[in-house]
Each structure stands twice: as structure tokens, then as C-alpha cells.
Amino acid sequence: SGKQEQQGKLDYTAGVVLGQLPDRSSYFLLDAFKEKLPANLIATAMVNMVARWRDVAQQCKGEFKAAIEDTAYTNFLPLTFESLMRERGIAGYCQLLRVIHSSKQGSKADRIRAMAEPLSQARVFIPEKLIVLPTRSGMEPYDVVAMFENELNKWPSVMDDDLLDAAAGAMEMTL
């Protein structure tokens, strides 16, 4: 929340780019980030991902969607996202969805559990390593696959499951 940001106690924010075969049978983890970002850098991280992957999606005749969880803390993100997209000359390129989780959709744990089937059937392909340059200056590059696998191996008792939640949300968007 904004109060946490003022106190320097930021929560993790995560985002993923999933690729999918035309028949929608398999998923590919293509890109991701997990950082403690202040509010103003969350949209920057999202736009950076769109900018990196838009040409690939166009060449593959695929669609590109971005989504944010609709919370009080993220209310400003759609405007910031659109503004940054205009500045980068890629406005209107991808659809920005605002995700509101309801009790009918189940809990975050239910969303993550839904990934078990494609994972157990070897329909999710994860690279051995994916080094990410951080959004915030002064941070070292990091291996986001190691972070993802740590969350996956320790789930449901892992303290931060943000990458799993982001991947589950991305999979949900492809259904």
C-alpha cells in the first residue's frame, strides 16, 4: 500500500509473459519479474515487458494482453500504463485488463492450484535460467526462474507466491 511505500516496506510485485502454441496446448515462460517496486515503477515494468515482446507477438500473429489486479493501490496504474505506452509509441498495442477476483473464482490458492494439471502433464515449459535486469536502479540482475522454482517447490508454505500468482493469472487469461 502507499503507507508501506512511505515506510520503505514494499511488497513484491510480479509479472510474467507466457507464450502459448496456436492450439493452446502448452505454455512457455518467456519473461518475468519479481521486485519490490514503488507504485510509480509498476507500470514501467509492465510497459518494458510489452515493448520487449510486442514484435514477437506480431510475428507470430498472436495477441498480447496485460492485466493488473484491481485494488485501491493499483487504481492509478491504467492511466500510467497508457501514458507510458503513448510515450514509447506503442499505445493501443495491447489490451489492459483489470482483474477483480471474486469469491466465485476462488482464492489465490485455488488459482495457483489450477496450474497443477498443465505442470504435471509437462505442458508448461520453463527455461533453465532467465536473468532479468531490474526495473529499479542499483539492484543486481537476478534469475527469475530460480525465484519461480523456489516458489513452486515450497508452495503452499512459501512466504511470497507472487510469481505463481502472476503465472496463474496469465494462464487464466488464455482460457
Side-chain angles (χ1 to χ4, degrees):
S1 72
K3 191 174 193 179
Q4 285 180 314
E5 186 175 330
Q6 290 170 354
Q7 296 171 351
K9 298 178 184 177
L10 298 170
D11 285 338
Y12 279 107
T13 298
V16 300
V17 174
L18 285 184
Q20 196 172 29
L21 293 176
D23 67 2
R24 299 186 181 272
S25 62
S26 299
Y27 300 93
F28 301 84
L29 178 65
L30 301 173
D31 201 355
F33 72 89
K34 179 180 175 181
E35 298 178 40
K36 291 185 175 185
L37 295 174
N40 63 325
L41 289 181
I42 294 171
T44 299
M46 291 175 64
V47 170
N48 288 345
M49 290 180 110
V50 170
R52 279 194 299 270
W53 288 97
R54 72 186 182 116
D55 293 339
V56 173
Q58 285 175 333
Q59 288 173 359
C60 296
K61 296 183 174 88
E63 58 183 331
F64 200 101
K65 298 177 195 171
I68 56 166
E69 285 185 314
D70 197 7
T71 66
Y73 183 62
T74 60
N75 268 345
F76 72 96
L77 280 176
L79 293 174
T80 306
F81 179 85
E82 294 300 330
S83 174
L84 289 170
M85 293 283 282
R86 276 192 302 280
E87 286 176 23
R88 292 268 195 79
I90 53 177
Y93 171 71
C94 81
Q95 181 182 7
L96 180 64
L97 306 171
R98 294 178 79 158
V99 177
I100 301 171
H101 298 295
S102 69
S103 58
K104 291 178 186 175
Q105 294 169 306
S107 66
K108 176 168 44 169
D110 291 334
R111 292 190 304 274
I112 293 171
R113 248 186 245 105
M115 290 193 314
E117 182 180 333
L119 282 165
S120 67
Q121 295 173 349
R123 294 186 303 130
V124 179
F125 298 90
I126 301 168
E128 288 184 28
K129 192 177 259 195
L130 180 59
I131 304 300
V132 175
L133 298 174
T135 305
R136 294 173 67 177
S137 61
M139 290 180 56
E140 294 293 318
Y142 57 94
D143 182 3
V144 75
V145 168
M147 296 170 95
F148 183 85
E149 289 176 342
N150 180 58
E151 288 183 17
L152 189 58
N153 293 332
K154 292 183 178 178
W155 196 83
S157 60
V158 66
M159 185 171 263
D160 297 306
D161 57 8
D162 303 278
L163 282 167
L164 293 177
D165 190 27
M171 283 183 175
E172 234 176 27
M173 288 171 46
T174 65
L175 301 175

